[in-house]
Amino acid sequence: MARTNESDLAPHELRVLVAIADTGGFSAAAGALGMTQSAVSHSVRGSERKIGAVLFERGRAGARPTPAGEQAVAYARRILRLLDVLSAEARGAARTDVAEGPLRIAAFRSAALHLLPPALARLRARHPGIEPHVRIVREVGRGTAGEVADGKADMAIATLGGSLPLPPGLVAHALLEEPYALVHAAGHAAPRSLPLVDWAENCGSYTRDWWAAQDWIPNATIEAEDDGAVLSLVSAGHGMAIMPALSLVGAPNAVGITDLGSERPTRQVGYVTASELAGSAVVRAFVRELRATVPQGREHAPPRGSIRPHA
């Protein structure tokens, strides 16, 4: 009979770590788990002994994960999620093409507006047993992929090829390539002379080289929170912007969209999931529906912007 390694953390210990991170304190975690605070403290001390590192900084304001604790909590979330998936898929093993259970999705704003709705509609029609939970996350820093790495999402719609490497243990696949275009008030005779409107999500490593080589692009004089605010400011004549195609789907007629030419920058949009969840029925089902909704057959951007499927 196989014996458990004494350094292994049990599922209940993992749940304690996640509860402390989520609630911000030992007593709050105890309440959420139906445990006593001393039992929570005892569990954490045991986990820290097994791992060999301090996992939480304790203080009057509560408890927050140390760097080692952040890693431990992220893996704890992913392991607990995998245990949930294991149970759900074992129950459904006797049935073919049936996927059920929760599916946590992280997406940045323009993907959530234009890629998710048709994919979710198809998913619900074909797999009514799947329960999607969507979070809109700003695509800055670790972005949507960071949600998967931290165990907060099962999969993410993300921009690929940015300046930050993909976190370990994740897999990514491209869905489409979208071009950038010059956006300005419709009918403006010299849009390149306008001041620049920008937002934090707009420029990653996929456009920086091109951006730096364009001496006509000024420093931003207006910085907005999201691409919707950028379009509103541009349509009102407050400046021009350089925006990716997904942000321009359904742009109002007051906005003019000018192609930046054959050397225009593009960015890849794809999905990211944890390697241990990539083969799960819920993730595979959603990927099929997501791929089915990506526009096909568009090789160039028309005047109103487009997205090009990734080969």
Side-chain angles (χ1 to χ4, degrees):
M1 181 177 178
R3 293 191 300 175
T4 302
N5 190 319
E6 292 183 358
S7 65
D8 290 345
L9 270 64
H12 71 270
E13 293 175 303
L14 301 179
R15 292 188 180 92
V16 168
L17 300 182
V18 171
I20 295 170
D22 287 346
T23 63
F26 282 42
S27 60
L33 295 171
M35 300 171 61
T36 64
Q37 183 172 343
S38 61
V40 167
S41 299
H42 178 75
S43 178
V44 171
R45 286 195 299 270
S47 297
E48 291 178 329
R49 183 176 63 254
K50 291 176 180 180
I51 292 174
V54 175
L55 301 180
F56 293 96
E57 294 178 352
R58 288 82 155 172
R60 292 183 179 179
R64 63 179 183 179
T66 63
E70 290 177 352
Q71 287 285 337
V73 169
Y75 280 111
R77 286 196 179 101
R78 289 168 61 175
I79 292 168
L80 291 171
R81 177 63 178 130
L82 188 58
L83 291 175
D84 290 340
V85 170
L86 182 154
S87 299
E89 299 211 351
R91 289 194 300 270
R95 294 168 289 175
T96 58
D97 198 31
V98 172
E100 60 183 20
L103 176 65
R104 304 169 303 163
I105 304 165
F108 58 93
R109 181 181 180 276
S110 57
L113 283 174
H114 305 301
L115 294 182
L116 272 185
L120 290 175
R122 290 176 60 96
L123 184 73
R124 287 191 168 100
R126 294 173 183 266
H127 301 278
I130 294 180
E131 306 160 16
H133 302 268
V134 179
R135 294 183 66 233
I136 312 303
V137 179
R138 296 188 74 194
E139 191 69 337
V140 294
R142 298 170 71 238
T144 58
E147 296 293 296
V148 178
D150 292 344
K152 297 177 180 178
D154 301 325
M155 68 175 302
I157 300 179
T159 53
L160 307 181
S163 57
L164 295 178
L166 194 68
L170 304 191
V171 292
H173 296 276
L175 288 168
L176 56 92
E177 185 177 350
E178 53 173 343
Y180 281 74
L182 175 63
V183 187
H184 49 86
H188 197 283
R192 294 192 178 203
S193 66
L194 293 169
L196 178 66
V197 184
D198 206 358
W199 82 103
E201 286 182 302
N202 189 30
C203 189
S205 63
Y206 37 73
T207 56
R208 288 194 188 282
D209 290 344
W210 177 90
W211 197 286
Q214 311 304 308
D215 56 8
W216 59 274
I217 301 178
N219 292 326
T221 55
I222 304 175
E223 295 185 4
E225 279 297 307
D226 58 52
D227 51 355
V230 173
L231 281 177
S232 178
L233 289 163
V234 167
S235 66
H238 295 294
M240 58 87 171
I242 297 167
M243 304 182 72
L246 272 179
S247 295
L248 302 178
V249 175
N253 291 332
V255 173
I257 302 172
T258 300
D259 196 307
L260 287 168
S262 60
E263 299 301 317
R264 64 181 177 240
T266 63
R267 72 174 181 180
Q268 282 190 343
V269 176
Y271 65 89
V272 175
T273 188
S275 56
E276 67 269 15
L277 293 176
S280 66
V282 288
V283 167
R284 287 188 291 109
F286 182 67
V287 168
R288 283 194 298 270
E289 306 312 331
L290 186 60
R291 286 190 175 279
T293 60
V294 172
Q296 299 295 317
R298 300 185 192 177
E299 292 300 320
H300 303 286
R304 298 304 299 171
S306 77
I307 52 182
R308 181 174 61 198
H310 183 77

